[in-house]
Amino acid sequence: MAAKWTEPVTIISLRELNLGTPEPQPKESKTFTVEDAVETIGFRRFHIALFLIMGGMGVSAWRSSESIIAVVSPVICCEWQLENWQGALVTTMVFFGYMVFSILFGLLADRYGRWKILLISFLWGAYFSLLTSFSPSYIWFVFLRTMVGCGVSGHAQGLIIKTECLPTKYRGCMLLLPQVFGLAGSLLIIGLASVVIPTIGWRWLICITSIPGILLLMAFMFIPESARFSVSTGNTQAALVTLERIAKMNRSVVLEGKLVEPILEKRGRFTDLLDAKYLRTTLQIWVICAELLERDLACGLRSESEAVVTVGVSEESQSPCHCQVFAPSDYQTMIISTIGEIALNPVTILGINFLGRRLSLSITVGCTASSFSSIFALQGICFLAGLIGFLFMLRALVASNFNTIYIYTAEVYPTMMRSLGMGTGGSPCRIGAMVAPFISQVHVSMLGQGLPCLFSSVCVVCAISAFTLPIETKGRALQVSDAGLS
């Protein structure tokens, strides 16, 4: 019987067989960025609570600080027998403190953290605001209100924290809604002033208005440090803790994998603002922010319209110290004009979300130019009701400009210089705020019809600057470093 033939197996054929089987590759680890995590976590309960705390008490405390000057200035002018320029100096020094310290706090926030600077600013503002009620003289009052201005300049870090924790599609809407709380703060201060000042005096009014800042300090531990800032300093663990805390409260989850972001050793440098990549954006933002002096001039014009009612009514208005105490109708005028600041909020939200930040801003600034021409042209020949109507519209437009440029500034700069960019952008408008009281309270009668041309021309320049801004931030992710900006 013949033996069965078998094919020999060689070493070469075994080696070929072995090479034909692919070796298992190591599994690649997943990575994500803070931007990925923020978009995944979404907008839910944490963000609502954060906006109620910071938007409510925070904005109201600052807006109350602004409004308190308008209602208290006539009273201290009577009490200490001040001239008009001395009353205007109070507002000027408050915004001088804001102008200087907004840059300093912005620089420190980029280097040491948004949360720390926000806490310091609220402690500072609440402390000196309370001390103001014990001012023994005019000089002390001016000094203490200047210190309040220095403190509240750091409140802008609250906007930075909210911007950095919001998903992209919610920024255009949610960053404008806190203005409702600001309106509530202003209306509350005016209502309280109409009751408190005639009965127990302006010192008690200032004590009462210090309460929102104190209440915020009690809930301050709820406010987290920005995860974007933490990871930029190399503190990835702190950033993960913040993201996990937000995700837990929102009933969501943090992405699986490793959090990877570049460490930014050079943060908060003035030279970066003026680098070739940022120079045009920075200069145009400064020009547009300078237009915001009209926001404070509008407040000053409100006082002028109130003076039309007050002058000639009482004998006090004819006294050498220019004593003009507000009548009930004056407080009503203030309330009407103050409501104008949120009248265009729905339109602004639609504009910046559909037209974009640049086009929306250029349109509202252009409308402001025409409104300024109208209000100054009609001043003196129009009935008081008509003047208040134009003032209402003007304040609505300027408030819209203010909100849009602040949102744009917070979005356009990268994490390494976002707070500094916000701080330097806020300084030019404070320069205008320092000048506006003297224009509205001291020099309006002397400058006459030259003012329409001046302010309308400024608005036209700002509208052109807004339209030609090099970067549109609508739908744009927040940048981490200068590598993301072209």
Side-chain angles (χ1 to χ4, degrees):
M1 183 177 180
K4 186 178 180 181
W5 182 82
T6 59
E7 182 180 358
V9 179
T10 63
I11 296 177
I12 295 177
S13 63
L14 286 175
R15 183 177 298 171
E16 291 176 350
L17 181 63
N18 186 48
L19 290 175
T21 304
E23 296 182 0
Q25 299 293 327
K27 189 177 181 180
E28 295 184 1
S29 59
K30 296 181 179 180
T31 61
F32 66 93
T33 63
V34 175
E35 182 73 22
D36 298 331
V38 169
E39 295 294 334
T40 301
I41 293 173
F43 178 87
R44 291 187 181 88
R45 294 191 301 171
F46 169 83
H47 300 90
I48 296 174
L50 180 66
F51 272 70
L52 288 176
I53 292 174
M54 296 180 64
M57 288 181 287
V59 176
S60 295
W62 164 231
R63 292 302 308 282
S64 297
S65 177
E66 285 184 312
S67 301
I68 201 76
I69 301 174
V71 297
V72 168
S73 291
V75 184
I76 64 171
C77 284
C78 294
E79 182 174 329
W80 290 319
Q81 299 185 359
L82 306 178
E83 299 290 338
N84 282 345
W85 69 267
Q86 291 175 304
L89 183 63
V90 176
T91 305
T92 297
M93 293 307 297
V94 168
F95 287 112
F96 174 77
Y98 192 108
M99 178 190 69
V100 175
F101 272 74
S102 65
I103 299 175
L104 177 62
F105 279 149
L107 184 148
L108 295 176
D110 276 332
R111 295 186 180 183
Y112 302 107
R114 287 83 159 104
W115 188 89
K116 296 176 183 176
I117 299 304
L118 185 62
L119 176 61
I120 291 172
S121 71
F122 271 102
L123 285 171
W124 187 321
Y127 175 71
F128 282 104
S129 179
L130 188 60
L131 282 184
T132 306
S133 62
F134 301 99
S135 302
S137 64
Y138 168 72
I139 298 298
W140 271 105
F141 184 87
V142 173
F143 170 74
L144 291 174
R145 294 313 294 183
T146 303
M147 291 296 100
V148 173
C150 295
V152 298
S153 65
H155 290 194
Q157 302 312 314
L159 176 64
I160 298 295
I161 291 177
K162 289 182 286 187
T163 302
E164 293 183 336
C165 75
L166 274 173
T168 302
K169 67 179 182 179
Y170 292 100
R171 292 200 304 259
C173 175
M174 296 307 301
L175 293 178
L176 281 173
L177 290 184
Q179 296 304 315
V180 177
F181 297 102
L183 171 69
S186 296
L187 295 179
L188 178 63
I189 208 69
I190 297 170
L192 284 173
S194 65
V195 177
V196 174
I197 291 180
T199 54
I200 57 179
W202 62 269
R203 298 179 187 274
W204 278 102
L205 178 65
I206 294 179
C207 287
I208 295 172
T209 56
S210 301
I211 294 176
I214 298 173
L215 291 177
L216 178 63
L217 294 175
M218 297 179 182
F220 215 85
M221 295 307 298
F222 175 82
I223 303 173
E225 177 58 272
S226 168
R228 296 178 190 270
F229 171 80
S230 297
V231 80
S232 71
T233 63
N235 194 352
T236 306
Q237 186 59 37
L240 281 172
V241 170
T242 299
L243 292 173
E244 290 172 356
R245 175 184 169 188
I246 297 174
K248 181 179 180 181
M249 190 167 179
N250 284 358
R251 297 179 181 177
S252 183
V253 293
V254 181
L255 291 172
E256 295 182 358
K258 182 179 179 181
L259 178 59
V260 177
E261 292 275 10
I263 299 176
L264 308 175
E265 297 181 355
K266 299 178 181 179
R267 304 184 306 275
R269 300 189 307 173
F270 287 100
T271 53
D272 291 332
L273 285 174
L274 302 177
D275 184 79
K277 295 180 180 179
Y278 303 88
L279 181 60
R280 180 182 165 190
T281 300
T282 299
L283 293 178
Q284 289 185 234
I285 286 177
W286 289 354
V287 169
I288 298 169
C289 285
E291 182 267 340
L292 295 178
L293 67 92
E294 277 95 346
R295 179 173 185 261
D296 302 279
L297 182 61
C299 297
L301 287 174
R302 176 188 64 193
S303 299
E304 290 295 316
S305 64
E306 291 151 3
V308 173
V309 179
T310 310
V311 172
V313 174
S314 65
E315 294 180 359
E316 291 180 331
S317 63
Q318 306 298 330
S319 62
C321 61
H322 305 285
C323 184
Q324 297 176 356
V325 180
F326 282 169
S329 59
D330 300 326
Y331 289 110
Q332 295 173 8
T333 301
M334 295 178 71
I335 290 174
I336 293 172
S337 61
T338 300
I339 293 175
E341 295 202 7
I342 67 163
L344 287 181
N345 259 22
V347 178
T348 304
I349 291 174
L350 292 175
I352 64 177
N353 281 288
F354 291 97
L355 301 179
R357 278 56 162 166
R358 293 183 299 184
L359 182 57
S360 176
L361 182 59
S362 61
I363 292 173
T364 55
V365 174
C367 293
T368 306
S370 60
S371 297
F372 255 102
S373 299
S374 300
I375 194 171
F376 277 105
L378 294 174
Q379 194 171 14
I381 63 174
C382 184
F383 292 109
L384 180 61
L387 185 60
I388 294 174
F390 275 100
L391 183 59
F392 181 94
M393 180 174 61
L394 178 61
R395 293 195 69 176
L397 287 168
V398 177
S400 177
N401 301 340
F402 186 90
N403 296 332
T404 305
I405 190 59
Y406 261 54
I407 292 175
Y408 179 87
T409 304
E411 292 177 332
V412 73
Y413 287 114
T415 303
M416 61 184 288
M417 55 191 290
R418 185 169 292 121
S419 293
L420 181 59
M422 179 69 76
T424 55
S427 287
C429 66
R430 304 309 165 187
I431 295 174
M434 293 165 60
V435 177
F438 289 96
I439 296 176
S440 62
Q441 297 181 31
V442 182
H443 297 300
V444 166
S445 59
M446 293 186 296
L447 294 177
Q449 295 301 316
L451 284 174
C453 296
L454 172 62
F455 287 104
S456 295
S457 300
V458 171
C459 289
V460 170
V461 172
C462 292
I464 296 172
S465 181
F467 186 75
T468 58
L469 281 167
I471 302 170
E472 174 56 67
T473 60
K474 172 193 168 187
R476 176 176 176 264
L478 296 181
Q479 305 299 302
V480 178
S481 65
D482 56 359
L485 184 65
S486 59

